[in-house]
Amino acid sequence: MRLYTATSLIAVLIVLATIADIRTNRMISKLDRRHAVICGCIIILCAVCEWVGQMVDGNETFIVVHTCAKLLELCMAPAIGVAVAVSYGDAIGTKTAIAVTLCQSVFQCIAFTQGWNFYIDAGGFYHRGIMVEVSVIAFLFSLLYGVICMIRAEIRYQAKFNGVLTLTLVLLAVGTGSLFITGYPHASYLSMALSNMLFYIEFYRMTLQIDGVTELLNRRCYETALMSVKPGSIILLTDLNDFKVVNDTYGHSAGDLCLIRTAAIMRKVYGRYGQCFRIGGDEYAVILSRHTQDIKQLNAAFTKSVEQMVSEDSRMTGVSLGYAYVNTMDEDVHSVVELADQELYRNKQKRPRVNRTKQ
Amino acid sequence: MFFDLYTTVFLITILILVITAVDIWNNRLMSKKTAGWAVLACVMIALSTSGEFIDALLNGSGIGWTFVHLGGRFVEFCCAPVICIALAFAYGSPIHGGVAVKSVIAHILFEIVCVFFGLIFYVDEINLFHRGPLYLMYLAYFMSTVVYAFITVIRKGKAYQTDVDAVLYLILSILSVGVIIQFVDSRIRVFYLCMAVINMLLCIRNDKTMLQVDAVTGLLNRKCYDVDLSEHKGDFILYLFDVDLFKQVNDTYGHATGDLCLQTVAAIILDAFGSYGQCYRIGGDEFAAVVEMDLQQQIQAESRFRQLVKDARNHDERMPDVSFGYSRHRDDHHIQSMIDDADENLYRNKMAGRKNV
């Protein structure tokens, strides 16, 4: 039991340290910081409630405290996964998730009055009710939801599904698994505290890798990706035609919209075959490493989608592109970029002139 | 029961060490050398905690396996002090690094000698662990490595304008929890869990520090400047600095000299204004300081700044002059108009300076 107290204390300290780190992190927006702090507070609350419950179990004088702690824990535990999803992941159906969590809390309160989920006898001992599984299932589902939203964020921001996230899932599984194997006392909130910290790291990494406007990978990632490009890959460069004119004629918000929509088309067409980057004001790059034989079809599809966008909204503008193959290991990758750039320039010269008049 | 809470905690400890090591290995912000030290710290914690785990399994288990028990404990006692030294090299700016490394090697040799005589610890014939007469010496050495690690981490923080913040206090309190529990009841084995967590938190903190810093000058970067200005509360002064004719320095003497000159300017700004607030590099040859100071301190800092620039220019003729301007924040003051005021002030000073030459 003393080991359990020690691990609970450490879990709380870990969450506090994570919160302190998030609050002083200037790279994260104010709103995200607030979400992350709330998420941490929920974990602390649950861990403390569980600890209190364990400490006063079998003690007649603290029956009220025991009851409150247990009920609070049952109500709040399923909120952890949702909080993780909102704070660090790409949350989907957030409102529904929060509503379900609230319903779960209400259900637990009602169930308590009927003694369905748990009851505490006159001796202060905790007993499971017939429907205690509901809270366990809700808890597991919320964790699953949190993990799914994290994976969605990984895909959205083209983060490589790297070892850290996989291992975090293993950690989470070990912690929650201990709940079933060892029974009380268990280490699930310790693993939750650690996973919270790791999700924060992962989220923070992703934020640093993307360009804020288009959500493509940023220039820094492009430079490092170039260094480890595999032979047989294609480097494709794109740039918007007359982007300055769009900006000057229709304003910066139209310019941004143009950048965002082009980036979205790019992700849709090339995303499955490689990584997309925004490497300058109106310049993009794609490093294609899979199925590079279809490049002509892909390019045709891309140009067609962009043309369609331009025909639908006259403020948008077309693109020019150029690409080159990375042939052998020893070839300097920057000369390949140079080749792609030259082709891009030739294509740009060839394109029909569009006359944009100020409206 | 074999699979108890302690086993879970042990598994979790090993897992977070693996995660930290994988993460460090993929981290491009760290140089290979620092990453090496950080991974070494992970490995050492893993070895120590495994030694402890063996002890937990075998302690008092009766006759047999004595050698394994002794070996496990020996590994733990050898590796534990290496942890903090590795942490110091990975996340701090070490002082007397050579001495620290030598002391670790000496300690390991000492352990090897002692294990034969049972001076620091021994395991009796029924597999019970006992502390030896020199145990306190080991403990003192271990604690001194801990103190060493924290001093180096604080030193590094100072160099990059990351104060001793709440995160560091919490890291310290996790450490104290670990140490105190170890003292009070060594059967509660959470010490290496604490070390693994500290290792990870130090890694995050170090990452954050490095990302907030401009690579050339070591001052805080543009992003921090934008965020700090928009979130700063109360009275403060914004100083803007501009290196005069920096382009000429770059063109005449080359980019290496240009960088050197920027580093000198950054060091001077940090020296004169650093103790009152934060200093930033906000553009190619533009710097800023967001400070809280009264008029007297302002006069002092400015004269110190001018003196330091003058000294640097006397010392090295390639060094250009630096102009500055400031603006004091008032409640009705918009941030943008404040920046404009400081900029205008800077421009006027610059023109006045050129006329005087």
Side-chain angles (χ1 to χ4, degrees), chain B residues 136-151:
Chain B
L136 279 181
M137 246 178 86
Y138 160 78
L139 209 62
Y141 175 65
F142 181 77
M143 289 317 292
S144 64
T145 62
V146 172
V147 173
Y148 176 75
F150 271 89
I151 290 175

Side-chain angles (χ1 to χ4, degrees), chain B residues 229-284:
Chain B
L229 258 193
S230 65
E231 288 179 5
H232 207 293
K233 291 183 195 85
D235 260 2
F236 65 96
I237 305 171
L238 168 68
Y239 271 92
L240 292 178
F241 304 85
D242 194 87
V243 182
D244 297 344
L245 308 172
F246 179 67
K247 206 174 167 315
Q248 281 186 15
V249 177
N250 249 342
D251 292 349
T252 324
Y253 305 108
H255 284 280
T257 313
D259 283 355
L260 189 72
C261 147
L262 289 176
Q263 280 157 4
T264 315
V265 174
I268 292 173
I269 294 173
L270 197 58
D271 186 318
F273 293 92
S275 49
Y276 303 105
Q278 318 244 261
C279 307
Y280 312 83
R281 181 183 179 202
I282 56 172

Side-chain angles (χ1 to χ4, degrees), chain A residues 42-319:
Chain A
I42 296 176
I43 297 176
I44 292 182
L45 186 69
C46 290
V48 170
C49 283
E50 198 209 43
W51 178 74
V52 169
Q54 289 293 309
M55 284 299 116
V56 299
D57 196 30
N59 191 327
E60 302 162 31
T61 36
F62 294 109
I63 290 179
V64 180
V65 177
H66 193 171
T67 314
C68 291
K70 275 290 166 199
L71 192 58
L72 200 57
E73 191 202 337
L74 286 179
C75 292
M76 293 313 280
I80 296 176
V82 179
V84 163
V86 173
S87 313
Y88 312 118
D90 179 12
I92 150 179
T94 321
K95 279 187 186 138
T96 323
I98 293 174
V100 170
T101 319
L102 284 176
C103 289
Q104 204 277 144
S105 305
V106 173
F107 168 77
Q108 292 296 344
C109 293
I110 296 170
F112 170 67
T113 58
Q114 306 296 324
W116 287 343
N117 45 5
F118 73 96
Y119 61 93
I120 291 172
D121 64 19
F125 282 100
Y126 169 84
H127 294 279
R128 292 171 164 220
I130 42 167
M131 289 173 87
V132 74
E133 283 79 14
V134 173
S135 73
V136 176
I137 291 169
F139 177 65
L140 291 181
F141 263 101
S142 102
L143 280 191
L144 187 68
Y145 174 71
V147 168
I148 288 174
C149 292
M150 278 310 286
I151 295 174
R152 271 173 55 89
E154 295 267 317
I155 296 169
R156 175 163 165 191
Y157 299 129
Q158 303 180 71
K160 282 183 195 143
F161 193 79
N162 62 12
V164 175
L165 192 64
T166 322
L167 287 166
T168 311
L169 299 186
V170 176
L171 177 71
L172 213 50
V174 168
T176 349
S178 78
L179 175 71
F180 298 105
I181 299 172
T182 67
Y184 283 98
H186 55 83
S188 65
Y189 288 117
L190 175 67
S191 81
M192 205 70 74
L194 287 164
S195 309
N196 177 51
M197 181 163 86
L198 289 162
F199 282 142
Y200 160 57
I201 300 180
E202 192 62 24
F203 164 72
Y204 173 37
R205 291 276 157 77
M206 285 192 287
T207 327
L208 288 171
Q209 284 176 354
I210 57 160
D211 157 59
V213 179
T214 60
E215 293 188 353
L216 297 184
L217 294 171
N218 61 24
R219 176 76 196 218
R220 196 201 304 209
C221 293
Y222 174 65
E223 296 293 340
T224 41
L226 275 186
M227 280 194 277
S228 56
V229 72
K230 284 193 286 280
S233 307
I234 292 177
I235 295 175
L236 182 127
L237 299 177
T238 324
D239 111 11
L240 301 185
N241 300 330
D242 305 321
F243 179 63
K244 206 177 166 313
V245 182
V246 177
N247 253 340
D248 293 348
T249 321
Y250 307 106
H252 283 278
S253 56
D256 280 354
L257 190 67
C258 188
L259 287 172
I260 293 166
R261 291 177 66 176
T262 314
I265 295 173
M266 202 161 211
R267 275 302 304 281
K268 213 166 138 197
V269 177
Y270 299 107
R272 281 173 53 211
Y273 308 103
Q275 292 186 298
C276 308
F277 307 85
R278 181 182 178 203
I279 57 170
D282 62 338
E283 292 161 62
Y284 301 89
V286 185
I287 298 181
L288 291 152
S289 46
R290 294 182 285 271
H291 303 285
T292 47
Q293 62 275 19
D294 311 330
I295 182 75
K296 290 222 163 68
Q297 284 168 26
L298 288 178
N299 288 348
F302 178 57
T303 332
K304 200 176 151 215
S305 300
V306 172
E307 272 165 12
Q308 197 182 348
M309 171 182 79
V310 176
S311 66
E312 279 165 10
D313 187 343
S314 64
R315 296 174 304 171
M316 299 294 117
T317 183
V319 293

Side-chain angles (χ1 to χ4, degrees), chain B residues 198-210:
Chain B
I198 289 167
N199 178 30
M200 185 167 249
L201 285 168
L202 281 175
C203 176
I204 302 179
R205 188 170 180 273
N206 182 63
D207 245 27
K208 202 179 66 180
T209 310
M210 293 330 276

Side-chain angles (χ1 to χ4, degrees), chain B residues 153-168:
Chain B
V153 167
I154 292 170
R155 258 170 61 95
K156 185 167 185 183
K158 279 227 175 81
Y160 293 112
Q161 303 185 61
T162 309
D163 301 331
V164 180
D165 54 358
V167 185
L168 202 60

Side-chain angles (χ1 to χ4, degrees), chain A residues 2-3 6-7 10 13-14 16-17 21 24 26-27 33 164 167 178 182 194 197-198 204-205 208 224, chain B residues 3 8 12 19 23 28 167 170 174 185 188 190 194 197 200-201 207-208 211-212 227-228 231 278:
Chain A
R2 286 160 114 185
L3 177 64
T7 52
I10 293 169
L13 284 173
I14 293 169
L16 283 177
D21 200 273
T24 53
R26 285 175 275 211
M27 302 286 159
R33 268 184 262 170
V164 175
L167 287 166
S178 78
T182 67
L194 287 164
M197 181 163 86
L198 289 162
Y204 173 37
R205 291 276 157 77
L208 288 171
T224 41
Chain B
F3 198 88
T8 321
I12 289 177
I19 294 173
D23 192 55
R28 297 195 189 96
V167 185
L170 284 161
I174 293 177
D185 186 351
I188 306 173
V190 285
C194 291
V197 170
M200 185 167 249
L201 285 168
D207 245 27
K208 202 179 66 180
L211 281 167
Q212 292 180 351
V227 174
D228 285 358
E231 288 179 5
Q278 318 244 261

